[in-house]
């Protein structure tokens, strides 16, 4: 009897190399080696204490029934309020869709907007799952190479040049994974306006916005929705509790939808996963208290200190960073001078120095073989030790 036939869609999905290196690191751990994991974008802080206390209270035996498909009214209102106070955008709570992680927000958006053969523009390098979601719904994804001069981000001009007759939308993340760089705010608004004027849609990933630096003018980070414009009707913004609030495993995110997409997203959510996790939703209300926000702001400042430690260490080692990040907790490192490709560099760094990193092939094509991603979401002590190990590893490379 022949084996089960795997769909062409599933066969086309590439491995998520950050997770593949996590498996290799796990095997080394199991063999008794001390591995420092700088390959996964997961803050080491964990959820805010008030959230954890609220989650414990929910285990008292009360029924934790399904909620509405787009989340509880209280949490949708809290998220809308957070966008107003933190990111300068006035959002109708009715346009907030609470999702099972930002991944489910991507799922709903791609299901709602993409038909087979639709063109979707994404910058290269970029978070791999964004293009995998789009391609799973039949999109013809154009990975547009970006440059250090453009902060490894799409620009309006790059989008104009890449636009074709079948292009339907653009996915952009600011700050970005893997580079930690943001699109200058005015440029992001301009990009979204250009796409909307062409009749296309924008999907703006703001997952790391809470971890972004103030702009050059000192202005706090702003959502693209903070600037009024007709492009709002064609723009979906996604965000998550995973990064700024440190709640990766609780699987809770959200999308801010144009009014025309709300009912569509609700139907899709009802059928795809019924509703987001009820306990996480109920406890997440505690994230927006002054106590929790003070905690998350302290953590944001700590991540900036870690970034400086890492950038200084990489300079000492002789591994250049073409664009200094201004958000998230990633550094995109040029390893072309090491004599190794990115995959081989990561393999050898793990095997010889017991430091787990992620090769550039996770994030695109243009810089795949000569860049790696380092996550500085680990503790200061781990980062310092990892940099010492990498210094010895690089010093021992031929040439």
């Amino acid at each position: 009897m022949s084996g089960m036939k795997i769909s062409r869609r599933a066969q086309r999905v590439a491995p998520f190399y950050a997770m593949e290196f996590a498996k290799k690191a796990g095997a080394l751990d199991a063999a008794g080696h001390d591995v420092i994991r700088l390959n996964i974008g997961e803050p080491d802080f964990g959820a805010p204490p008030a959230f954890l206390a609220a989650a414990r209270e929910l285990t008292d035996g009360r029924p934790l029934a399904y909620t509405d498909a787009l989340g509880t009214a209280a949490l949708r209102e809290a998220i809308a309020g957070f966008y107003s106070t933190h990111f300068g955008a006035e959002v109708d709570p009715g346009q907030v869709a609470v999702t099972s992680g930002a991944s489910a927000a991507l799922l709903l958006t791609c299901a709602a907007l993409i038909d087979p053969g639709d063109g979707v523009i994404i910058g290269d390098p970029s978070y791999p799952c964004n293009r995998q979601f789009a391609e799973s719904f039949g999109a013809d994804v154009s990975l547009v190479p970006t440059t250090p001069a453009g902060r490894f981000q799409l620009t309006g001009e790059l989008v104009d040049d890449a636009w074709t007759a079948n292009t339907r939308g653009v996915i952009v993340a600011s700050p970005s994974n893997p580079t930690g760089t943001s699109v200058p705010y005015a440029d992001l608004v301009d990009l979204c306006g250009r796409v909307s004027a062409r009749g296309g849609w924008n999907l703006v990933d703001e997952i790391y916005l809470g971890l972004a630096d103030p702009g050059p003018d000192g202005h706090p980070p702003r959502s693209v929705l903070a600037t009024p414009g007709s492009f709002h009707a064609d723009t979906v913004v996604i965000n998550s509790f995973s990064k700024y609030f440190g709640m990766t495993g609780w699987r809770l995110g959200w999308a801010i939808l144009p009014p025309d997409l709300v009912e569509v997203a609700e139907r899709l959510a009802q059928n795809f996963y019924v509703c987001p996790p009820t306990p996480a939703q109920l406890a997440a209300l505690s994230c927006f208290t002054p106590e929790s926000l003070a905690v998350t702001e302290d953590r944001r400042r700590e991540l900036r200190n870690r970034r400086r430690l890492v950038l200084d260490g990489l300079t000492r080692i002789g591994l250049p960073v073409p664009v200094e990040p201004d958000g998230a907790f990633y550094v995109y490192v040029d390893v072309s001078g090491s004599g190794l490709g990115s995959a081989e560099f990561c393999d050898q760094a793990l095997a010889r120095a017991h430091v787990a990193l992620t090769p550039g092939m996770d994030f695109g094509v243009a810089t795949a073989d000569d860049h790696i991603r380092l996550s500085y979401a680990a503790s200061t002590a781990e980062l310092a030790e990892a940099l010492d190990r990498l210094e010895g590893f690089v010093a021992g490379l031929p040439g």
Side-chain angles (χ1 to χ4, degrees):
M1 180 178 177
S2 60
M4 188 177 294
K5 184 177 183 298
I6 307 300
S7 72
R8 288 189 295 273
R9 180 191 307 107
Q11 292 180 50
R12 286 194 299 267
V13 175
F16 192 177
Y17 290 100
M19 302 307 293
E20 292 296 308
F21 274 86
K23 287 196 297 186
K24 294 180 181 181
L28 283 172
D29 270 337
H33 298 287
D34 174 28
V35 178
I36 300 176
R37 300 167 186 257
L38 308 183
N39 57 310
I40 298 294
E42 186 166 41
D44 66 320
F45 306 117
F51 173 88
L52 296 175
R56 284 192 291 270
E57 289 180 12
L58 293 169
T59 62
D60 58 5
R62 74 186 72 182
L64 294 167
Y66 299 131
T67 70
D68 290 343
L70 297 186
T72 68
L75 187 54
R76 296 169 79 184
E77 289 171 5
I79 290 168
F82 179 66
Y83 254 66
S84 174
T85 57
H86 270 62
F87 302 139
E90 297 303 320
V91 174
D92 180 349
Q95 291 175 240
V96 176
V98 184
T99 57
S100 186
S103 295
L106 281 161
L107 172 73
L108 296 181
T109 303
C110 289
L113 294 175
I114 295 173
D115 281 321
D118 285 354
V120 175
I121 294 171
I122 303 177
D124 179 351
S126 56
Y127 181 57
C129 299
N130 289 355
R131 67 177 181 271
Q132 297 290 0
F133 271 113
E135 289 177 344
S136 291
F137 285 95
D140 179 11
V141 172
S142 295
L143 280 178
V144 176
T146 60
T147 66
R151 301 186 56 73
F152 286 125
Q153 288 281 8
L154 286 175
T155 65
E157 291 76 15
L158 286 174
V159 169
D160 285 344
D161 290 344
W163 200 275
T164 67
N166 77 321
T167 302
R168 297 293 177 266
V170 174
I171 301 177
V172 61
S174 182
S176 167
N177 177 4
T179 64
T181 62
S182 302
V183 183
Y185 185 73
D187 295 347
L188 180 60
V189 172
D190 173 68
L191 186 158
C192 290
R194 291 188 191 213
V195 171
S196 181
R198 287 180 174 274
W201 49 261
N202 303 288
L203 197 165
V204 182
D205 173 348
E206 294 184 348
I207 290 170
Y208 296 98
L209 189 61
L211 298 175
D213 295 348
D217 59 356
H219 199 289
R222 285 170 285 179
S223 169
V224 70
L225 300 177
T227 296
S230 59
F231 70 88
H232 285 212
D234 305 305
T235 299
V236 175
V237 164
I238 65 168
N239 209 318
S240 173
F241 285 87
S242 290
K243 311 302 181 178
Y244 179 67
F245 292 106
M247 291 166 46
T248 49
W250 293 92
R251 306 314 302 137
L252 205 62
W254 68 84
I256 300 173
L257 305 166
D260 289 349
L261 273 189
V262 174
E263 189 273 334
V264 176
E266 184 172 30
R267 282 192 283 114
L268 290 168
Q270 289 168 343
N271 283 278
F272 284 172
Y273 54 83
V274 182
C275 71
T278 300
Q281 289 190 71
L282 297 176
L285 290 171
S286 66
C287 291
F288 303 108
T289 63
E291 172 193 1
S292 290
L293 293 173
V295 168
T296 53
E297 281 300 291
D298 283 345
R299 293 173 173 183
R300 181 182 63 82
R301 287 186 284 269
E302 169 61 16
L303 286 169
R304 289 191 68 179
N305 294 336
R306 295 180 186 183
R307 183 200 308 166
R308 189 73 264 154
L309 170 70
V310 167
L311 290 172
D312 291 346
L314 291 171
T315 298
R316 181 183 79 237
I317 294 168
L319 292 173
V321 177
V323 185
E324 187 167 313
D326 62 346
F329 34 67
Y330 304 113
V331 179
Y332 203 51
V333 185
D334 184 348
V335 297
S336 59
S338 71
L340 302 175
S342 66
E344 189 178 8
F345 186 98
C346 291
D347 272 327
Q348 291 198 25
L350 181 58
R352 295 166 56 184
H354 298 154
V355 177
L357 302 158
T358 303
M361 68 178 109
D362 236 357
F363 309 107
V365 178
T367 54
D369 197 45
D370 50 19
H371 284 70
I372 64 167
R373 187 193 73 179
L374 181 155
S375 167
Y376 55 87
S379 71
T380 298
E382 287 180 308
L383 291 170
E385 172 64 19
L387 290 165
D388 286 345
R389 293 185 190 183
L390 288 173
E391 184 172 19
F393 163 65
V394 170
L397 292 174

